[in-house]
Amino acid sequence: MNYKRQLNDVIKEYFNPSKVVDVKPYGGGLINSTFIVEFPDTSYILQKVNEYVFQSPIGVMYNISLITNYIRKKVIYEGKNYRNATLTLIQTIDGENFAICDGEYWRCYTCIDGITYNSTSDAEVFYEAGRAVGEFQLLLDGFHPKLLSDNIKNFHNTPYRYEMLINSIKANTCNRLKECYNEILFIAKRKDQLDIITKALDSGSIPKRVVHNDTKLNNIMFSKHDNHAMCLIDLDTVMKGSLVYDYGDALRVGASTAKEDEVDLSKVTINLTLVKAFTKGFLETTKDIITLNEINLLYHGYYIITLELGMRFLTDYIDGDKYFALTKDLKKTRPKINLERAQNQLKLVMEIENNYHSIKQIIDDTLIEIGYERKNQNE
Ligand code: ADP
Ligand code: GN1
Ligand code: MG
């Protein structure tokens, strides 16, 4: 497939090509192919949906359209500025929410005039991140989960992810197993803890909510001027799930002292100041809706999602990098990047275990600080 030709064809579905100044790859996402289309006075984001990951792109677009409309209406109702409150889908000249080119699905958004970070050491930025993740929850509180299409089944079903890992180990299709024994052993030792959150969801002791499911830092849009977190982007995975995974996934990336693919594992530790800042922003915004059982599982959200990502990267390495596909460049420079990401995440799991008491203490102290009344909450 000729990428450039396909991009040109897609552009024609939305814009007058003679007005386009430049088109460039954009952002640091691992899943979709993202481009910025620049005009003299404005820019748009074009994205090809990854159909290995999202087998029903129409379902994905359906969810995004519902969610963004719901958020916009709610923000307008509250008399607030709706412009940067969520993603804004642009329709094709034929009035569709996506363009199909060579059988592949593309979509277009306005380019939010903000900034995303792959990492931060700034506690104020990460406090804002916590506030934005909490705010997203408030915005969608009241949106009925049954309206949404379940676009990736078992997305944060951690015990299922373990089963998938076992299947890949058994199949060993790329003969990579010999490189992964230590990691497999590490995960297997912790297998009894993988179902703590799914069990709580299944028994109803914590609610199934509409959640983002992919709250890593670069899916949060900040204002360029004052680092105010404006909104959550990358809404492909918004589905029914647990708030505690949204809390944990954000910490997994944002409170780590190293990037997700750092190979020097001595650099992978936790920045507790950032954990504190995020927790404060998150609990301040969610304190009126979060339940005591959810609060009691926040640490586990952080721990289990990190184990889950370790398993997902490892499974994909064993399978031959199908899900977290490698660019041509990465194939040359970092052919084992998914194994390295897995090792990185498992090191982080160890750090989370070693910091159990500190993280729990941060959550407890924050609850006191924000005046959360534990005794008034139903278990
Ligand atoms: P992926 O699913 O591959 O992670 P994202 O939707 O997160 O794709 O987009 C990748 C990156 O592109 C984001 O991290 C962000 O930097 C940028 N981006 C995506 N959508 C927009 C938008 N509407 N406005 C500005 N930047 C965007
Ligand atoms: C992917 O799409 P992106 O890059 O924001 C992945 C997440 C992982 C993350 C790891 C749909 O997120 O689940 O946590 O990579 N998204 C999907 O960096 O699988
Ligand atoms: Mg993303």
Side-chain angles (χ1 to χ4, degrees):
M1 181 249 313
N2 180 338
Y3 222 96
K4 233 181 174 168
R5 204 250 318 131
Q6 194 181 100
L7 201 47
N8 285 335
D9 286 351
V10 175
I11 284 174
K12 282 189 228 152
E13 299 267 346
Y14 289 94
F15 313 106
N16 175 349
S18 72
K19 306 282 182 192
V20 175
V21 174
D22 205 359
V23 185
K24 291 183 275 201
Y26 196 65
L30 298 191
I31 300 296
N32 297 303
S33 308
T34 307
F35 299 87
I36 185 163
V37 185
E38 295 177 338
F39 294 88
D41 297 325
T42 192
S43 304
Y44 291 88
I45 297 290
L46 262 190
Q47 260 185 344
K48 179 154 89 166
V49 180
N50 179 331
E51 282 187 63
Y52 183 84
V53 171
F54 301 106
Q55 276 145 31
S56 167
I58 294 180
V60 172
M61 297 315 293
Y62 174 79
N63 281 5
I64 291 178
S65 167
L66 280 182
I67 292 155
T68 53
N69 283 333
Y70 184 87
I71 291 179
R72 243 186 314 274
K73 278 188 194 154
K74 200 157 183 180
V75 169
I76 292 170
Y77 186 76
E78 297 296 328
K80 294 185 189 151
N81 190 338
Y82 67 90
R83 273 188 59 222
N84 294 326
T86 189
L87 289 170
T88 304
L89 263 176
I90 300 294
Q91 296 193 326
T92 64
I93 43 177
D94 294 329
E96 300 290 344
N97 275 340
F98 46 82
I100 304 175
C101 199
D102 299 334
E104 299 188 288
Y105 286 73
W106 290 74
R107 62 186 170 207
C108 181
Y109 295 117
T110 57
C111 182
I112 302 175
D113 186 22
I115 182 165
T116 54
Y117 298 103
N118 289 324
S119 65
T120 186
S121 54
D122 184 335
E124 274 178 42
V125 168
F126 211 43
Y127 163 80
E128 277 293 312
R131 223 191 30 71
V133 173
E135 183 72 23
F136 187 79
Q137 195 47 236
L138 294 187
L139 285 169
L140 289 179
D141 192 39
F143 184 99
H144 205 295
K146 280 199 178 144
L147 293 174
L148 291 177
S149 149
D150 198 11
N151 289 316
I152 305 185
K153 298 220 170 7
N154 295 309
F155 189 55
H156 288 323
N157 180 343
T158 316
Y160 170 84
R161 294 290 185 179
Y162 184 74
E163 276 174 42
M164 293 300 102
L165 172 63
I166 300 297
N167 288 348
S168 299
I169 292 170
K170 284 183 186 153
N172 190 18
T173 48
C174 300
N175 200 23
R176 288 178 166 180
L177 207 54
K178 52 188 178 302
E179 300 170 75
C180 309
Y181 287 136
N182 289 340
E183 291 71 26
I184 294 167
L185 209 63
F186 181 96
I187 295 163
K189 274 190 189 153
R190 289 155 177 83
K191 82 173 193 314
D192 292 343
Q193 299 182 66
L194 300 178
D195 65 356
I196 295 176
I197 294 166
T198 46
K199 249 179 153 168
L201 281 169
D202 290 345
S203 71
S205 75
I206 59 170
K208 291 189 178 113
R209 301 177 186 268
V210 177
V211 290
H212 186 280
N213 281 316
D214 187 2
T215 50
K216 72 178 185 187
L217 189 59
N218 69 11
N219 290 329
I220 303 175
M221 188 63 74
F222 293 85
S223 156
K224 281 178 186 162
H225 311 294
D226 57 6
N227 271 331
H228 164 74
M230 300 190 288
C231 63
L232 264 54
I233 58 167
D234 198 347
L235 304 177
D236 296 334
T237 50
V238 177
M239 290 178 286
K240 208 163 44 178
S242 173
L243 181 57
V244 305
Y245 277 130
D246 271 9
Y247 170 82
D249 206 11
L251 289 181
R252 177 184 70 77
V253 176
S256 173
T257 50
K259 286 196 293 186
E260 208 179 37
D261 57 12
E262 173 61 58
V263 286
D264 179 353
L265 297 185
S266 69
K267 291 189 181 157
V268 183
T269 59
I270 300 173
N271 181 334
L272 289 172
T273 307
L274 292 183
V275 173
K276 167 79 196 169
F278 184 91
T279 302
K280 185 155 190 265
F282 178 79
L283 286 175
E284 268 176 7
T285 40
T286 55
K287 69 176 179 201
D288 292 335
I289 60 162
I290 194 165
T291 68
L292 189 52
N293 285 341
E294 284 176 312
I295 287 174
N296 290 338
L297 286 176
L298 287 176
Y299 165 84
H300 299 87
Y302 185 12
Y303 179 61
I304 292 171
I305 198 84
T306 309
L307 256 171
E308 181 180 299
L309 262 294
M311 289 195 286
R312 287 177 63 194
F313 286 132
L314 189 64
T315 305
D316 202 37
Y317 181 70
I318 296 171
D319 289 348
D321 312 309
K322 292 190 177 129
Y323 189 100
F324 295 106
L326 272 49
T327 57
K328 244 193 215 159
D329 193 36
L330 277 179
K331 274 184 192 157
K332 265 199 229 143
T333 56
R334 302 278 305 266
K336 294 180 195 290
I337 192 166
N338 280 321
L339 176 60
E340 289 156 358
R341 284 172 176 149
Q343 289 163 339
N344 175 306
Q345 294 299 289
L346 298 181
K347 170 70 191 327
L348 192 54
V349 165
M350 242 154 63
E351 293 293 319
I352 299 172
E353 286 171 350
N354 293 339
N355 281 284
Y356 172 84
H357 293 292
S358 311
I359 296 166
K360 281 282 201 186
Q361 193 64 53
I362 285 173
I363 296 168
D364 284 348
D365 291 349
T366 309
L367 288 169
I368 294 168
E369 248 174 73
I370 64 170
Y372 180 87
E373 297 272 344
R374 269 178 196 256
K375 59 180 184 310
N376 293 341
Q377 286 279 325
N378 293 326
E379 286 270 347

